[in-house]
């Protein structure tokens, strides 16, 4: 495999990004023993790699430590991610830490395209459940997608060739992110969307199997998925509990407690990731999905989680209405 695998990491003992990195890099080497894994890490995070935390880099072949501006941890991660093309030499496949690789990735060497990525949540904006929210984020960043079916790319997996076009796109991406950061938009994908437009739509669409977004319309790509992307922080995960086991912080915490060692049980889970779903869950679509992801649905779910007074009153009201209806039916 000629294409490098690149990760970026901004982390300390309070989060679980390092544990995710360990899982992902282990899964890479499991199926791609000759893969060259590069970790780009900021100075502050590198200082945090003490004692057991250092063990999490066992599958990393090259570490590049970068000095970043004095920003919050979250902002440093965005700064680093949008700078990688200017830091790493050669062709690379960038992969977010919250991923599991399922097979040999060597065919990435032969994919045609200078910059390639998968659509965010596998859908153009007009079909994307979060399309309206994404458009609002883009507007706050200073631009608006031209068409409703605009192809908005996920930055979690990107094939990037060592070429002038890729360097230009990354420089534009970084500059736009810095400008949007000043506007209070501390996310990288709206900036990537505008950078893609500004540089003449250089990003070519990759098949969804290269970035199967497990919790975002990825089910139809899952059987053939090469990379499972299970999301670090997803606004739809209102209850902070997901049907995919790897998505849950409780699972990642086990690795931390084990001293950043992968137990036999965890290795077996990584070997068969498509089996790692909760025993009880439902797949919803169409109208039910719209209702669940709507503002009303989100409000109700947050109320349920917090056991708020408004939720309890609404629950009592609904139960009373149902009881009255049942009583009327039974006395007809």
């Amino acid at each position: 495999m000629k294409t490098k695998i690149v990760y970026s990491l901004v982390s300390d003992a309070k989060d679980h990004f390092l544990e995710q990195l360990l899982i992902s890099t282990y899964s890479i080497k499991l199926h791609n023993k000759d893969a060259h894994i590069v970790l780009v890490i900021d100075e502050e995070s590198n200082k945090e790699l003490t004692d057991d935390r250092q063990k999490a880099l066992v599958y990393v072949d090259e570490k590049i430590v970068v000095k970043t501006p004095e920003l919050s941890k979250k902002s440093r991660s965005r700064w680093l991610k949008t700078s990688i093309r200017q830091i790493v030499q050669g062709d690379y496949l960038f992969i977010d830490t919250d991923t599991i690789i399922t097979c040999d990735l060597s065919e990435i060497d032969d994919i045609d395209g200078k910059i390639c990525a998968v659509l965010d949540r596998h859908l153009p904006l007009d079909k994307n459940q979060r399309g309206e929210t994404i458009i609002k984020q883009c507007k706050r960043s200073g631009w608006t997608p031209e068409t409703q079916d605009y192809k908005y790319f996920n930055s979690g997996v990107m094939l990037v060739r060592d070429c002038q076009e890729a360097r230009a796109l990354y420089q534009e991406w970084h500059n736009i992110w810095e400008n949007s950061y000043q506007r209070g938009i501390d996310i990288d994908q709206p900036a990537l969307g505008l950078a893609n437009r500004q540089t003449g739509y250089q990003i070519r669409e990759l098949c969804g199997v290269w970035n199967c977004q497990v919790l975002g319309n990825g089910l139809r790509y899952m059987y053939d998925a090469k990379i499972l992307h299970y999301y670090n922080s997803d606004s739809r995960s209102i209850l902070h509990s997901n049907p995919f086991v790897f998505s849950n912080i409780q699972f990642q915490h086990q690795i931390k407690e084990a001293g950043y060692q992968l137990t036999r049980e965890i290795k077996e889970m990584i070997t068969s990731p498509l089996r790692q779903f909760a025993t009880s869950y439902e797949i919803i679509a169409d109208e039910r999905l719209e209702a669940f992801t709507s503002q009303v649905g989100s409000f109700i779910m947050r109320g349920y989680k917090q056991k708020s007074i408004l939720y309890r009153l609404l629950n009592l009201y609904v139960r009373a209405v149902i009881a009255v209806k049942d009583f009327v039916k039974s006395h007809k």
Side-chain angles (χ1 to χ4, degrees), residues 247-259:
S247 303
N248 296 311
I249 290 175
Q250 296 90 331
F251 171 78
Q252 294 151 17
H253 192 65
Q254 292 177 31
I255 297 172
K256 184 177 289 189
E257 289 193 326

Side-chain angles (χ1 to χ4, degrees), residues 271-290:
T271 303
S272 55
L274 296 185
R275 296 179 183 175
Q276 309 310 320
F277 283 86
T279 54
S280 176
Y281 66 91
E282 285 190 17
I283 296 173
I284 60 173
D286 303 322
E287 292 86 356
R288 285 202 298 164
L289 182 57
E290 275 189 41

Side-chain angles (χ1 to χ4, degrees), residues 1-5 31-32 34-35 91 93 101-113 116 159 161 206-210 224-227:
M1 184 175 177
K2 299 176 183 177
T3 306
K4 295 177 181 179
I5 304 295
H31 304 286
N32 304 266
D34 64 337
D91 296 348
L93 181 67
I101 286 67
T102 67
C103 63
D104 179 2
L105 301 181
S106 58
E107 65 180 273
I108 199 73
D109 292 342
D110 302 319
I111 287 181
D112 186 26
C116 303
L159 172 63
R161 302 297 183 193
L206 263 181
C207 176
V209 299
W210 288 97
D224 298 310
K226 299 177 184 297
I227 301 174

Side-chain angles (χ1 to χ4, degrees), residues 173-217:
W173 185 13
H174 186 75
N175 292 342
I176 292 169
W177 175 81
E178 286 192 319
N179 289 332
S180 65
Y181 171 74
Q182 299 302 323
R183 296 167 179 250
I185 308 296
D186 196 13
I187 49 180
D188 59 88
Q189 285 184 182
L192 177 62
L194 179 54
N196 187 35
R197 184 174 76 175
Q198 299 287 64
T199 54
Y201 300 101
Q202 293 291 334
I203 302 178
R204 183 168 180 173
E205 186 177 348
L206 263 181
C207 176
V209 299
W210 288 97
N211 182 4
C212 176
Q213 296 152 63
V214 177
L215 304 178
N217 307 318

Side-chain angles (χ1 to χ4, degrees), residues 57-329:
L57 304 191
V58 62
Y59 304 108
V60 172
D61 299 294
E62 179 183 353
K63 181 175 71 171
I64 302 175
V65 182
V66 179
K67 182 177 178 58
T68 63
E70 291 185 9
L71 300 167
S72 68
K73 187 167 64 172
K74 178 181 175 183
S75 299
R76 291 201 312 273
S77 72
R78 307 295 193 249
W79 191 96
L80 207 59
K81 188 173 186 177
T82 59
S83 303
I84 287 178
R85 179 65 283 176
Q86 323 304 346
I87 297 169
V88 176
Q89 300 297 315
D91 296 348
Y92 64 76
L93 181 67
F94 173 83
I95 305 178
D96 269 351
T97 58
D98 57 326
T99 51
I100 296 173
I101 286 67
T102 67
C103 63
D104 179 2
L105 301 181
S106 58
E107 65 180 273
I108 199 73
D109 292 342
D110 302 319
I111 287 181
D112 186 26
K114 296 177 180 178
I115 311 137
C116 303
V118 174
L119 291 182
D120 190 49
R121 294 170 57 84
H122 299 286
L123 294 171
L125 289 183
D126 60 335
K127 295 182 175 62
N128 192 322
Q129 301 96 313
R130 296 189 68 243
E132 290 184 10
T133 300
I134 290 169
I135 291 172
K136 287 179 182 177
Q137 290 172 342
C138 292
K139 286 181 177 178
R140 287 180 63 198
S141 298
W143 71 290
T144 304
E146 297 91 334
T147 58
Q148 288 297 310
D149 62 348
Y150 188 85
K151 290 188 175 182
Y152 183 79
F153 292 99
N154 185 279
S155 63
V157 177
M158 294 180 66
L159 172 63
V160 185
R161 302 297 183 193
D162 195 344
C163 62
Q164 184 55 41
E165 292 85 350
R167 293 183 185 279
L169 180 134
Y170 263 75
Q171 187 61 61
E172 190 75 7
W173 185 13
H174 186 75
N175 292 342
I176 292 169
W177 175 81
E178 286 192 319
N179 289 332
S180 65
Y181 171 74
Q182 299 302 323
R183 296 167 179 250
I185 308 296
D186 196 13
I187 49 180
D188 59 88
Q189 285 184 182
L192 177 62
L194 179 54
N196 187 35
R197 184 174 76 175
Q198 299 287 64
T199 54
Y201 300 101
Q202 293 291 334
I203 302 178
R204 183 168 180 173
E205 186 177 348
L206 263 181
C207 176
V209 299
W210 288 97
N211 182 4
C212 176
Q213 296 152 63
V214 177
L215 304 178
N217 307 318
L219 191 59
R220 59 199 171 122
Y221 297 102
M222 201 171 294
Y223 181 80
D224 298 310
K226 299 177 184 297
I227 301 174
L228 296 172
H229 189 185
Y230 54 84
Y231 292 112
N232 273 328
S233 54
D234 194 324
S235 61
R236 291 170 296 111
S237 181
I238 300 166
L239 298 181
H240 301 289
S241 179
N242 291 299
F244 193 55
V245 173
F246 291 100
S247 303
N248 296 311
I249 290 175
Q250 296 90 331
F251 171 78
Q252 294 151 17
H253 192 65
Q254 292 177 31
I255 297 172
K256 184 177 289 189
E257 289 193 326
Y260 294 89
Q261 301 284 342
L262 296 179
T263 64
R264 180 178 178 182
E265 179 185 5
I266 291 175
K267 286 182 177 180
E268 288 176 354
M269 292 173 70
I270 297 171
T271 303
S272 55
L274 296 185
R275 296 179 183 175
Q276 309 310 320
F277 283 86
T279 54
S280 176
Y281 66 91
E282 285 190 17
I283 296 173
I284 60 173
D286 303 322
E287 292 86 356
R288 285 202 298 164
L289 182 57
E290 275 189 41
F292 182 76
T293 57
S294 69
Q295 290 184 341
V296 174
S298 297
F299 173 78
I300 292 172
M301 294 304 292
R302 286 193 182 94
Y304 170 79
K305 179 190 173 187
Q306 298 165 1
K307 297 296 185 289
S308 69
I309 294 174
L310 280 175
Y311 173 79
R312 283 181 282 173
L313 289 174
L314 179 61
N315 193 37
L316 286 172
Y317 171 76
V318 171
R319 289 188 177 205
V321 169
I322 293 173
V324 170
K325 285 185 177 180
D326 289 343
F327 176 81
V328 171
K329 282 183 182 179

